[in-house]
Amino acid sequence: MKTLYNKVIAGVFSYLLLLTPYLLVSCENDSIEGLNGEFSDITWCTFDNATVQPTQKLGKGVKALNIQFTDTDGCTLALSFRTKDWILGEGTFVLDYTTESAGTYTGTVNSATINDGNIDVNLVEGTYFINGLVETTDNRAYKIYYKGPLSFVVGEDDPEPSGYTMSIQTSEVAIMDWTTWQTTTYPEVSKYTITVSDPTGAQVATFDVINGNDKTPEQLTGSYTIVGDAHDPMQISAGYSLPDYGMAGGSSYLDPAGKMQYLTGGGTVQITTTTGIDGSTLYSFKGTDLGTTDVTGATGTGSFNIMFVSFLEVKGAVMRDFAVNSQILGREMKYSVYFPEGYDGQTTLPVLYLLHGYGDDNNSWLDKGDMATLTSAAISNGEVGKMVVITPDAMQTFYCNGYQDGMAYEDYFFNELIPTIEATFNVGGDKSKRAVGGLSMGGYGTLYYAVKHPEMFCCAYAMSPACYIDGLPNLFELYPAANVAELPDLTMEVGTEDTTVYDMCPWLAGTIQSIGFDKFEYIERSGVHDWAFWKGCYPKFMAKLGKYFK
């Protein structure tokens, strides 16, 4: 069918070409009365020579195919076709100087800029037929025509984003001498913690990069050496492993076996950039012959090459260290807030209360957990609607009454903190617009608040939760006694190598499952008690919240 069509078209064009000497005289003026009611004098130009100029990449996969046409009388035509292909294809190209979109063109005739008219391109068995009626800025009209071959150079498209993403947290460089317990700060440099995640949101690498102050992401490129307690530019601070405690952290990457390897020295880490097919800057990370250790303390060497990573920029705003003058606790209690892009306080938004772990504070989810970046990415991707996130300071209270110095933290949380937050920022207001989540100690707080105050939250997500602590309310007793119909949508997620809390998690999960609660999900996966694991939980929490926060 296609061959027959081409033969028919070729026959039609052959017939028309027989008439060409009579119809198309090179750069000859003709008077055409009433042509579209626009032009009375049109110059007919038949171009017999075409030279393909170098192709330009315009970004977002669009190329400019540039062609210079001439005829025997000295007329010139320059056309720049925008297309996503390296070879000019058929179609009607629309004149457009304001964008660089595929399917548009720009050009000149006899050095005068074309300001009106479209160009038609046809291709029959390797022969191009290019024609159009155009007007130029010197108020001349041209009927342009070219028949002949065009030879284009096929190049390489820019790389496409891999789906991997990165975020950057900036902090001061401070190193403690563990013999004297003295901390030395280095104000002339900053630490840029680069976290790389795969398309599912799971962390695959972290690099504590040391460089000068106020660097943009693109200014962090270069070759870095791995140094313990790094404090000079172009160094990456080494990772660590504490096998006796089942803990590890710092600069690391996920090996092909799915095990996190923590960098101890050896070769270098290269950070490079390129421009992606969508016009964005993409980052690549390559390390070779690196000394490593895993969470068990096993040492070795390894390499990685993570290519074409997109930078996630926080959309929205973060405000830190607000304070509630608590009458219940007799002291000021801090909290920090993430506001989504476009927040104006006029529309009531949902609110997430995000709880930290033991030894952390109200800024830990921001500084270590990359919460603002992950939240804004989930909102931008449409996984969850706009919401405000509150990170309260709970010290070491386990979010309960009486555990730390007799403080009634639970009473403070529900009777002072929540009313203050919701009146100040116009958020929440009822169960459907509130959620709670947290890690470790905050995981316990999440499970406790979900069962003790089920009327307050529509969704709860406990990450690596402490399930049983002497002196705290017993979750193993509270859940069997709960009214299942009132409980919020609840998820527990824990790492199977988490020696801190794992032992009790399956038991509590089994207890909750035994009460016939169909809105409960229990997730086990490889991981330890660290931020890499919790940052892998957070996108799942956002996806779950997407069912409630539209």
Side-chain angles (χ1 to χ4, degrees), residues 376-389:
S376 67
I379 293 172
S380 296
N381 294 337
E383 296 173 3
V384 65
K386 288 186 177 182
M387 63 178 174
V388 170
V389 184

Side-chain angles (χ1 to χ4, degrees), residues 526-540:
S526 179
V528 297
H529 205 73
D530 66 359
W531 281 103
F533 184 84
W534 302 321
K535 283 188 279 189
C537 297
Y538 197 79
K540 301 176 190 176

Side-chain angles (χ1 to χ4, degrees), residues 1 208 230 244 275 277 363 372 399 404 539:
M1 180 70 72
D208 287 327
D244 290 343
T275 300
I277 197 169
N363 290 319
Y399 301 90
Q404 181 182 359

Side-chain angles (χ1 to χ4, degrees), residues 409-521:
Y409 186 86
E410 180 183 350
D411 292 345
Y412 156 74
F413 189 93
F414 288 95
N415 298 325
E416 290 184 326
L417 177 64
I418 287 182
T420 298
I421 294 296
E422 302 196 353
T424 302
F425 303 116
N426 190 18
V427 296
D430 60 46
K431 175 174 181 169
S432 68
K433 290 185 173 65
R434 291 192 205 99
V436 63
L439 63 90
S440 195
M441 179 183 84
Y444 172 87
T446 298
L447 293 170
Y448 177 56
Y449 286 175
V451 69
K452 183 72 179 298
H453 303 275
E455 75 286 355
M456 295 295 291
F457 306 105
C458 63
C459 187
Y461 205 110
M463 312 169 206
S464 308
C467 294
Y468 179 85
I469 302 291
D470 284 337
L472 293 180
N474 191 331
L475 299 175
F476 288 85
E477 296 174 351
L478 290 174
Y479 272 92
N483 182 341
V484 172
E486 295 179 351
L487 293 175
D489 191 330
L490 178 62
T491 302
M492 284 177 60
E493 185 167 2
V494 65
T496 51
E497 291 79 43
D498 186 338
T499 58
T500 305
V501 301
Y502 175 76
D503 286 350
M504 299 298 292
C505 287
W507 293 97
L508 181 59
T511 298
I512 297 174
Q513 289 165 340
S514 70
I515 65 176
F517 181 30
D518 59 3
K519 290 186 178 180
F520 173 69
E521 182 179 10

